[in-house]
Amino acid sequence: VRLYDSTIPSGNGYKVHLLLAQLGLPYETVELDILRSESRRPDFLAKNPNGRIPVLELDDGTCLAESNAILSYLADGTPFAPTDRLARAQTLQWMFFEQYSHEPYVAVLKFWTYWGGLEKLAPGKVERLRAGGQAALGVMARHLETRSFFVGDRYGIADIALFAYTQSAGALGFAIPAPVARWLERVREQPGYVSIKRDPLGKAPREA
Ligand SMILES: N[C@@H](CCC(=O)N[C@@H](CS)C(=O)NCC(=O)O)C(=O)O
C-alpha cells in the first residue's frame, strides 16, 4: 500500500503510520507539501476529492481518505479492532468524538501555532480553540479515570485516533489531566510504538 502524507508532521497522517508499524505491514510513503497546496492539485483531487492527506492507496489503485476510516480498514480482522458489535460501535463513538470535539480544536491550534501563524486568526479564535481542546481533554479524563484504554480495556484504533493530537496538547499549553497523562504513557509503551516524525521545518517540537 502507499500512504500519502504531508511533509510537515500531521497527526492524522501519523495515526496511519503508527498502526501500519504496529501491524508490521510494509508500505511506501509519498509526502505532499500541504503548505504549498500540493494536496489541492487535480492529480491528488482524483485520489481524494476533499484535497487532504492522509490517503491510503491500495495495490489495485483504490484510494481511501479520512484517517479514522483508514484505521478501520487496516485494523479490520486484527487485535486493534474489536469484533463485538457494541465494542465496534464504541470504537466509532470515540473516533467520531475525536473528529468532531477534539481534532477541530487541538489539531487546528497545532497547525496555526507552528506553521500557519496565530496572528492570522480572527480575534477570539485562539481562545475558542483552547476552550474546545481543554473540554475534550476533560471528557477523555472522565472516561479514563476508571479505564486503561478507550474501549474494552484493550489498546486499539480508538486509542490511536485520540493519541495522535493529544500527545501534542501539553506543548501547546493545554493542561493534561492525570488520567490522560497516564494513558499517553500506556500508549507509548505498546509493542511496535513509533513516534511522530520530526518537523523538517524545525517549527514543531519533537513528539508534537
Ligand atoms: N478529517 C480528515 C482531516 C484531514 C486533514 O485535515 N488533513 C490536513 C493535514 S492534517 C490537510 O491535508 N490539509 C491540507 C489542505 O487542507 O489543503 C482526516 O481525519 O483524515
Side-chain angles (χ1 to χ4, degrees), residues 74-202:
L74 290 170
D76 195 45
T78 79
F80 297 94
T83 48
D84 168 76
R85 182 182 181 187
L86 180 61
R88 276 202 324 262
Q90 288 168 330
T91 297
L92 289 176
Q93 173 191 329
W94 286 107
M95 289 166 93
F96 288 132
F97 165 81
E98 189 267 343
Q99 286 285 294
Y100 190 76
S101 301
H102 185 301
E103 198 262 14
Y105 303 106
V106 180
V108 171
L109 187 63
K110 177 186 171 184
F111 178 81
W112 289 99
T113 299
Y114 299 136
W115 303 292
L118 284 180
E119 70 286 352
K120 291 186 202 141
L121 294 179
K125 177 76 177 172
V126 173
E127 290 69 22
R128 285 195 294 279
L129 294 175
R130 288 209 170 281
Q134 200 59 59
L137 292 165
V139 172
M140 293 170 69
R142 268 195 296 286
H143 187 69
L144 290 169
E145 197 102 42
T146 54
R147 294 171 183 86
S148 299
F149 296 106
F150 273 89
V151 179
D153 248 15
R154 172 177 191 154
Y155 174 73
I157 53 176
D159 300 289
I160 294 178
L162 280 161
F163 178 80
Y165 286 103
T166 304
Q167 67 168 350
S168 304
L172 289 167
F174 289 102
I176 308 300
V180 175
R182 288 194 293 269
W183 165 81
L184 285 171
E185 275 315 302
R186 280 194 290 274
V187 173
R188 291 192 182 101
E189 287 162 2
Q190 292 305 302
Y193 171 81
V194 291
S195 56
I196 193 166
K197 70 180 176 189
R198 210 173 277 278
D199 177 12
L201 304 179

Side-chain angles (χ1 to χ4, degrees), residues 3-4 12 16 19-20 53-56 64-76 95:
L3 174 61
Y4 290 89
N12 287 318
V16 186
L19 180 60
L20 283 165
I53 61 88
V55 165
L56 188 75
L64 185 61
E66 290 294 327
S67 57
N68 292 349
I70 298 171
L71 291 182
S72 294
Y73 174 80
L74 290 170
D76 195 45
M95 289 166 93

